[in-house]
Amino acid sequence: MQEIVFATNNSNKIKEIEVLLSAKFHIKKLIDIGCNEELPETHHTIEENSAEKANYVYSTYKIDCFSEDSGLEIDILNGEPGVDSAHYGGTRDANSNMNLVLEKMKGKENRKANFKTVITLVLNGIQHQFTGILEGTIGTEKRGLYGFGYDPIFVLKDGRTMAELMLDEKSRISHRAIAVKQLIAFLDINH
Ligand code: ITT
């Protein structure tokens, strides 16, 4: 089975991506290649931060890998929290991030939002990017027990929040899934 390193420290991302990739690829974690550090994310866009993480791991550990950067973009907040999604409320705590969003969205009629994932693959030193976008709206309260991050306040077209989907279903329909399917199609041809 082919091996590929997923350059992330977020175990929820690994769980979701393994559901889709595990039949064809053995996903190696950063810890498996001796990387125990926080990856650099110094830019102002999801695309640039995604590229930064994969290129950092490729150049430091000399190994083919992919990373992903993702975030929640809310129309009426001009795309916030966006690139700052992980620590919007000041820390990495999902509840304080969601509380800040709910506070800023109080009384707002336009509640349109999307999740976005940009995967960067670095294969033989060459960079490729794949983007997945999932549209929805921001709820007025948290609902659901599954998932992570902003899932309890992200409402899908069918009225359920993303946190009401169990791992298997979220892994198949999410922004991450949309990007991963492009990654798989590319790797099938080029790896
Ligand atoms: P790595 O950089 O190590 O991959 P991270 O958690 O720092 O992990 P990001 O910088 O990409 O990841 O931050 C993404 C944040 O966006 C994440 O912490 C959540 O708050 C939110 N997010 C991303 N995908 C999500 C999803 O599927 N459901 C809910 N929230 C999500």
Side-chain angles (χ1 to χ4, degrees):
M1 186 176 287
Q2 296 178 31
E3 289 190 337
I4 187 141
V5 175
F6 185 9
T8 182
N9 285 308
N10 184 324
S11 56
N12 289 298
K13 290 182 180 178
I14 295 178
K15 272 189 233 151
E16 290 183 15
I17 282 186
E18 268 178 341
V19 171
L20 297 166
L21 273 183
S22 63
K24 291 187 177 162
F25 296 92
H26 172 63
I27 300 197
K28 287 181 99 175
K29 303 183 175 76
L30 287 176
I31 201 163
D32 301 327
I33 59 164
C35 171
N36 298 306
E37 51 190 316
E38 183 85 12
L39 301 176
E41 291 184 58
T42 59
H43 294 279
H44 301 293
T45 66
I46 290 177
E47 285 78 5
E48 288 171 303
N49 279 345
S50 174
E52 186 177 18
K53 290 186 271 193
N55 283 301
Y56 176 80
V57 170
Y58 184 83
S59 60
T60 310
Y61 298 90
K62 312 283 180 246
I63 193 158
D64 289 340
C65 65
F66 70 93
S67 65
E68 72 103 270
D69 202 62
S70 43
L72 175 67
E73 299 177 325
I74 302 175
D75 286 17
I76 203 160
L77 301 183
N78 297 317
E80 281 185 27
V83 73
D84 297 321
S85 292
H87 35 72
Y88 192 48
T91 65
R92 281 189 160 268
D93 178 60
N95 266 313
S96 34
N97 290 339
M98 285 189 286
N99 290 343
L100 181 56
V101 168
L102 290 175
E103 183 62 34
K104 289 197 177 192
M105 291 300 287
K106 239 183 211 156
K108 299 270 193 302
E109 227 168 81
N110 176 1
R111 307 191 70 85
K112 279 192 198 151
N114 65 268
F115 271 128
K116 177 174 175 180
T117 287
V118 177
I119 291 181
T120 303
L121 170 71
V122 182
L123 198 60
N124 302 319
I126 297 171
Q127 176 185 309
H128 310 269
Q129 286 197 319
F130 311 95
T131 302
I133 288 178
L134 182 70
E135 292 185 351
T137 54
I138 301 299
T140 51
E141 59 184 12
K142 299 169 200 160
R143 234 173 47 222
L145 299 172
Y146 307 110
F148 69 99
Y150 298 91
D151 285 340
I153 60 168
F154 188 82
V155 181
L156 299 160
K157 295 225 162 91
D158 67 6
R160 290 181 297 172
T161 70
M162 191 88 120
E164 292 177 309
L165 270 47
M166 286 170 59
L167 176 66
D168 201 52
E169 189 175 2
K170 181 184 170 189
S171 301
R172 276 186 284 110
I173 65 126
S174 75
H175 48 304
R176 191 161 293 106
I178 295 167
V180 169
K181 282 172 194 159
Q182 297 167 45
L183 170 72
I184 294 173
F186 181 89
L187 286 172
D188 272 347
I189 300 169
N190 296 286
H191 200 244

